[in-house]
Amino acid sequence: MSPPRALARLQFHAGFTLDDAVEVVDYYARLGISHLYASPILRARSGSTHGYDVVDCHEVNPELGGEDALRRLVARLRSRGMGLVLDIVPNHMGVGVQNAWWMDVLRHGRTSRYAGYFDIDWQASDPLLRGRLLLPILGAGYDATLREGHLRLARRRGEWMLRVYDDHLPLSPESLAGLTDDAEAKHDPASDEGRAALHALIERQHYRLAFWKLASDMVNYRRFFDINELAGLRIERTAVFEDTHKTIFRLYAEGLIDGVRCDHVDGLADPRRYCRQLRHRLDRLRTQPPPEAPRGGAYIVVEKILAEDESLRLDWRTDGTTGYEFMDQVSAVLHDDTGEAPLTELWRNLTGEGADFATQAVRARRQILVDSFEAELDRTARALFAAARADVATRDVSLAAIRRVLAELLVHFPVYRTYAGGAGRDAFDAAVFERAVEGALRTIRGEDTDLLYLVAGWLGGEAPRSLPPGPVRRARERAIAVFQQATSPVAAKAVEDTAGYRYGRLLSRNEVGVDAARLAISMDEFHRRCVERGATLPHNLLATATHDHKRGEDVRARLAVLSEVAGRWVVTVEHWRARHASLRQRAEGRMAPSAADELMLYQMLVGAWPLGLEPGDDEGLERFASRIAAWQRKALREAKRWTRWTSPNEPYEDACEDFLRSLLSGDGAAELAAFAQYIAAPGAANGLAQTVLRLTAPGVPDLYQGTEYWDFSLVDPDNRRPVDFAARSASLERERAPEEALGTWRDGAVKQATILRLLSLRRAHPELFAQGSYRPLSASGTAADHILAFVREHRGQRLLVAVARHTAEWLAGAETPAIPAACWEGTTLPLPEGQWRNVLGDGARPGGVTEAVGVFGNLPVAAWVSGA
């Protein structure tokens, strides 16, 4: 197999189509990218900005230009020897009137040919929902919506339908009998009689309309997280798998795509089976690829959040994950663990919050279960209850007790999910459950202890296959599947989208796939992770920015500097808190912003402060303030302390925004700008370091759109803003060496030049990166701890990589990230024997013990190649 050398992720929508991508292929080819990596391109809901709400699996989205545009894009890619990897969404679909499968289910209920496509619980505990589908789409209570005339019988395209606001829902065939030409008048909700008749008609449907806020308590279809408009698929059914992947398989068989990225694999009932089935089908399809298509098997990666001690299962037969774990590791190795104590103390002293991140995560899980996942909790509990009832030995166990025990297991679950099946748990999953049970034992009622162990056994501790075929075995297998599908959305919403917005010790460590409790890792641990990845999943993606990141890669790189200058940061924040006390307002009985929200705001302001933004630039400050205000409002709602999406506390939010804008319109802007400048140069050094490590460590680098310049983006939609490809193309044409581009480092060209040089090297020597060994290299001397270095080697070709870290003591307050030669005095690196050529600059040198300054020059990063 020939894996991709390097991917460039593009976000497609009506404002950036497949034809628009045609125009940037040449740019990415010159940069050294081997494959474009596209967001989902199948037909999504109208106006979708991300494509994850697919409504038709059989069509390339016409808003993106349709299949003709896709073929034009692929033709251009093939002309440059490039390929295309496609993001696919096997877990769910967007539902509503644009989804014909969903509409058929609404019309025919359980008898619809598509009823088995969606993960619907037709045996809901609520008798009003049994055999019906809950539609939580009303903007108010059902009675009020009916009385206000938002529900009406209407004729549309010769067919009677139920008009709900501006949409039209189908009516069941059996309910249409007796509707005559005057039916609309007879069902007019303006009169008591008409309203009663309309209600009676609605009650005869296969769906039940409800206020959208009732979804978390009552919804009887599996959702993507807590999003009502995204319904889970039963992809484990072969017919559903084949139908939903029909177009993907055709595109692959025709040589239009070269691989896939599988979104949210943990949402599937059986990820292992799915991945192996996908690999098998793609292997069978690509028997005679078009001559212009790249050779080799399909490239398959999965979006998967791994815990610190968790590895992707190799028997899934994928090429790896989308790289969140690398994002964590490369960030952590650039943080300084000496800053942990003062930063933790600052957080606790200012906020009065003594809980660590793990405690915050447990609290968030408990709240999320109540706020967003009551229906999922009920569904899982009833699956376990069915398993109990199926066995005469446990028939007296109550549903209420199971629900209590289950809730505590979910609250204390330490990973996103486990993968037990008929064969039960493997060793890793067994250890996960042991930790979950230990946590639950601390909080459950004493009389539920025995049941806790019993439930843990049902959930894979006892292999269902050891039971004889029959109802007990089937019930256990179903309970395991339902439980495992419930743990990942609870974890994601609680950890990423709640605790991550509540715990603000250092926001550079609050990121997707990152444990915010861990501030830093050692160089030895980073090296160990690289060696493991090279040995097991050498084609795993390496990401440092994605469409889902909370803060841009260079925001995180700059904020990492706070771990090095923690003492100064503490004093600065305390000064700002006192200085800006008069700007806080009382809103809804509390001061706004709270101490926690204020501390996190300061971090975002200095971390994302645009290079070159001056305190006197009113227009620039306004643009920056608007971006930060949008982030702030989203962050406050995600934290769910004083406000939330389902019930916004606008007075508090508005007061927080007033505080922000007052900061940036007064003298405070100068101090913020000064501190941002103080950490800018070491932050840029960190940014270059993580760029070089992503491009040279074992794995396949993923370049998110636009991040070849400095990436000071915020959470979406800010990180999906239009990219100025014209500017990037123009700077690329100049082909400056990174050492030269360092002189104007604020424009981002030095980062682009570094990427160009390293991607060009990957193109010239693909086997060195795809198969080369990885050996840590240790520096000696006074600044040895500031150097992370390693050697990649394959068949006589060698690459030496070295990056500087923890450079604040040299660069804080400096005008440039160029490291003064005196900083390296007395520090050496043992270059292996041979003749070495500088990749990022000019010149050559022999191997042997070499002064660090001779390796780095002025740059904070270095790459030297030998034998190539």
Side-chain angles (χ1 to χ4, degrees):
M1 173 181 174
S2 301
R5 292 192 318 272
L7 275 66
R9 168 78 178 205
L10 292 178
Q11 292 297 118
F12 289 101
H13 47 80
F16 186 83
T17 68
L18 295 163
D19 279 318
D20 292 322
V22 171
E23 301 305 314
V24 302
V25 167
D26 288 350
Y27 164 72
Y28 279 121
R30 294 197 309 273
L31 189 63
I33 294 296
S34 68
H35 290 68
L36 290 187
Y37 166 26
S39 63
I41 64 170
L42 297 184
R43 185 169 196 144
R45 291 162 64 99
S46 296
S48 176
T49 59
H50 49 75
Y52 289 98
D53 45 359
V54 173
V55 294
D56 186 346
C57 298
H58 295 165
E59 181 182 16
V60 176
N61 196 343
E63 289 191 357
L64 308 183
E67 189 163 324
D68 287 344
L70 174 63
R71 291 181 180 277
R72 288 190 290 271
L73 172 59
V74 173
R76 179 65 66 87
L77 288 168
R78 299 310 189 208
S79 73
R80 299 304 303 264
M82 298 169 67
L84 180 65
V85 173
L86 185 61
D87 197 342
I88 63 173
V89 193
N91 176 69
H92 57 267
M93 290 185 76
V95 294
V97 297
Q98 297 177 50
N99 187 323
W101 293 353
W102 187 253
M103 289 297 100
D104 196 77
V105 174
L106 298 188
R107 184 186 305 277
H108 297 290
R110 299 182 69 172
T111 64
S112 167
R113 62 173 295 193
Y114 302 109
Y117 278 43
F118 298 99
D119 199 348
I120 300 169
D121 182 5
W122 296 103
Q123 299 296 328
S125 57
D126 186 340
L128 293 176
L129 280 179
R130 202 158 296 143
R132 303 168 77 188
L133 176 64
L134 184 79
L135 286 189
I137 60 175
L138 302 183
Y142 171 78
D143 183 62
T145 306
L146 184 63
R147 290 179 180 275
E148 291 169 5
H150 296 305
L151 305 178
R152 289 184 175 275
L153 185 64
R155 197 83 171 171
R156 182 175 174 83
R157 296 172 184 166
E159 177 183 7
W160 287 114
M161 302 190 78
L162 178 66
R163 180 173 176 176
V164 183
Y165 303 110
D166 293 328
D167 287 331
H168 292 80
L169 302 184
L171 298 173
S172 64
E174 55 270 21
S175 71
L176 294 172
L179 292 183
T180 57
D181 291 342
D182 60 349
E184 187 171 354
K186 289 181 178 180
H187 294 79
D188 188 347
S191 68
D192 291 343
E193 296 82 3
R195 192 163 54 251
L198 181 58
H199 169 66
L201 179 66
I202 294 172
E203 286 294 284
R204 296 178 62 193
Q205 303 312 309
H206 295 293
Y207 49 84
R208 182 188 177 195
L209 300 174
F211 184 27
W212 69 270
K213 288 189 177 183
L214 294 178
S216 293
D217 292 335
M218 299 176 60
V219 70
N220 62 335
Y221 59 89
R222 182 171 59 85
R223 302 172 293 175
F224 172 69
F225 295 178
D226 57 352
I227 302 174
N228 299 337
E229 295 78 17
L230 299 176
L233 292 166
R234 297 293 300 272
I235 210 73
E236 66 274 15
R237 296 183 172 179
T238 300
V240 181
F241 173 86
E242 291 294 337
D243 205 355
T244 55
H245 289 68
K246 181 178 179 181
T247 299
I248 301 300
F249 290 156
R250 179 175 60 80
L251 296 178
Y252 181 74
E254 293 180 15
L256 295 175
I257 63 174
D258 304 286
V260 293
R261 177 256 199 201
C262 305
D263 181 63
H264 189 48
V265 72
D266 275 346
L268 308 183
D270 190 344
R272 176 184 180 274
R273 177 173 180 258
Y274 169 81
C275 291
R276 291 172 66 89
Q277 189 176 14
L278 182 65
R279 171 65 72 189
H280 175 70
R281 290 288 281 112
L282 293 176
D283 283 351
R284 289 180 59 193
L285 287 169
R286 198 65 171 270
T287 56
Q288 292 183 318
E292 70 274 12
R295 293 297 184 264
Y299 184 65
I300 302 175
V301 291
V302 293
E303 186 202 30
K304 164 67 185 162
I305 305 296
L306 295 168
E308 177 185 347
D309 54 350
E310 184 180 10
S311 300
L312 186 69
R313 269 67 168 180
L314 299 182
D315 64 353
W316 288 12
R317 298 187 65 201
T318 68
D319 292 290
T321 73
T322 53
Y324 290 129
E325 68 281 357
F326 178 79
M327 185 186 299
D328 174 20
Q329 295 155 16
V330 75
S331 169
V333 79
L334 296 176
H335 282 68
D336 188 344
D337 60 6
T338 63
E340 181 169 359
L343 291 173
T344 302
E345 184 178 6
L346 173 67
W347 172 253
R348 290 177 175 172
N349 288 345
L350 290 189
T351 66
E353 178 59 73
D356 59 12
F357 181 74
T359 303
Q360 290 279 17
V362 167
R363 290 175 181 174
R365 284 173 179 265
R366 195 176 300 282
Q367 180 179 338
I368 282 294
L369 278 177
V370 174
D371 288 354
S372 301
F373 293 108
E374 280 283 354
E376 284 78 6
L377 177 60
D378 181 68
R379 181 178 189 230
T380 310
R382 284 188 293 104
L384 285 165
F385 185 54
R389 284 294 177 92
D391 191 338
V392 67
T394 55
R395 61 179 292 176
D396 291 334
V397 174
S398 72
L399 176 61
I402 288 177
R403 186 183 174 91
R404 290 195 302 269
V405 165
L406 177 62
E408 295 309 312
L409 275 176
L410 287 169
V411 162
H412 294 282
F413 214 68
V415 298
Y416 271 62
R417 70 165 282 172
T418 50
Y419 303 95
R425 302 184 195 126
D426 62 14
F428 183 84
D429 284 355
V432 166
F433 257 88
E434 185 176 342
R435 289 164 60 191
V437 169
E438 286 177 0
L441 284 171
R442 295 193 295 268
T443 52
I444 63 167
R445 294 161 41 163
E447 55 266 38
D448 288 337
T449 300
D450 290 342
L451 180 58
L452 173 63
Y453 286 109
L454 193 62
V455 167
W458 292 341
L459 293 173
E462 302 167 1
R465 288 179 190 168
S466 65
L467 301 170
V472 175
R473 177 170 166 175
R474 288 195 300 272
R476 293 274 187 90
E477 289 175 340
R478 179 61 179 159
I480 290 171
V482 172
F483 173 79
Q484 291 181 153
Q485 284 179 295
T487 58
S488 59
V490 170
K493 293 301 294 182
V495 178
E496 295 173 26
D497 293 341
T498 303
Y501 284 101
R502 289 182 178 179
Y503 185 74
R505 178 179 66 181
L506 188 56
L507 293 183
S508 48
R509 297 297 294 151
N510 293 22
E511 192 51 77
V512 180
V514 173
D515 181 1
R518 185 173 62 160
L519 188 72
I521 63 172
S522 66
M523 289 191 290
D524 286 344
E525 181 172 351
F526 179 83
H527 289 313
R528 178 175 63 82
R529 297 287 188 176
C530 287
V531 170
E532 288 176 354
R533 186 170 56 253
T536 58
L537 294 167
H539 310 312
N540 200 94
L541 272 188
L542 305 180
T544 50
T546 75
H547 63 284
D548 277 335
H549 67 233
K550 309 300 184 186
R551 277 154 283 274
E553 63 183 35
D554 293 305
V555 176
R556 298 193 307 273
R558 187 190 288 177
L559 285 176
V561 179
L562 298 184
S563 68
E564 302 177 61
V565 297
R568 180 163 179 156
W569 176 243
V570 168
V571 172
T572 300
V573 167
E574 290 173 342
H575 165 69
W576 286 345
R577 284 272 296 161
R579 178 187 176 99
H580 303 138
S582 63
L583 301 181
R584 299 182 205 113
Q585 305 174 38
R586 183 164 292 278
E588 298 295 295
R590 60 180 52 86
M591 296 305 294
S594 69
D597 293 333
E598 186 175 348
L599 178 52
M600 287 189 275
L601 174 62
Y602 290 143
Q603 290 181 56
M604 291 301 292
L605 286 168
V606 300
W609 192 278
L611 292 167
L613 176 60
E614 297 295 334
D617 180 359
D618 292 340
E619 185 177 338
L621 286 172
E622 172 57 31
R623 286 196 300 270
F624 183 49
S626 295
R627 291 177 55 221
I628 293 289
W631 162 82
Q632 182 184 56
R633 199 164 293 253
K634 180 170 184 173
L636 294 173
R637 292 183 181 182
E638 293 287 2
K640 306 172 190 68
R641 284 181 299 203
W642 321 123
T643 182
R644 60 188 63 193
W645 293 107
T646 53
S647 53
N649 181 347
E650 293 186 353
Y652 182 80
E653 295 173 356
D654 292 344
C656 288
E657 182 169 343
D658 288 345
F659 179 85
L660 160 65
R661 292 187 179 277
S662 296
L663 280 181
L664 294 181
S665 62
D667 295 339
E671 291 192 2
L672 288 164
F675 197 93
Q677 167 60 27
Y678 177 71
I679 60 175
N686 281 344
L688 290 174
Q690 74 177 353
T691 297
V692 168
L693 293 174
R694 171 165 52 86
L695 295 172
T696 57
V700 176
D702 169 21
L703 177 74
Y704 183 66
Q705 60 178 30
T707 59
E708 56 272 40
Y709 280 5
W710 301 121
D711 173 26
F712 294 108
S713 63
L714 312 176
V715 71
D716 67 280
D718 190 78
N719 62 10
R720 304 176 191 182
R721 288 177 295 158
V723 176
D724 187 348
F725 284 107
R728 286 161 175 76
S729 184
S731 61
L732 188 68
E733 289 289 345
R734 292 195 287 272
E735 293 190 2
R736 289 188 293 169
E739 287 183 340
E740 178 188 354
L742 190 64
T744 58
W745 67 276
R746 294 176 185 274
D747 62 10
V750 63
K751 186 179 178 185
Q752 184 192 51
T754 300
I755 292 170
L756 173 63
R757 290 288 180 102
L758 291 174
L759 288 184
S760 297
L761 187 67
R762 292 185 74 100
R763 177 164 48 199
H765 306 289
E767 291 184 349
L768 172 62
F769 292 92
Q771 302 174 37
S773 62
Y774 179 101
R775 179 167 59 88
L777 200 65
S778 297
S780 300
T782 56
D785 288 343
H786 291 274
I787 299 176
L788 187 155
F790 57 86
V791 173
R792 304 288 309 275
E793 184 170 0
H794 180 72
R795 295 182 178 177
Q797 297 177 348
R798 289 176 295 179
L799 170 69
L800 181 144
V801 175
V803 302
R805 67 178 199 138
H806 302 170
T807 61
E809 64 180 271
W810 303 331
L811 298 178
E815 287 298 320
T816 171
I819 297 178
C823 298
W824 295 124
E825 188 173 345
T827 304
T828 60
L829 270 170
L831 269 68
E833 293 302 320
Q835 193 67 23
W836 294 85
R837 174 176 59 82
N838 192 351
V839 177
L840 302 182
D842 298 321
R845 66 179 319 112
V849 176
T850 305
E851 294 289 333
V853 67
V855 174
F856 285 97
N858 289 331
L859 288 169
V861 292
W864 293 74
V865 67
S866 174

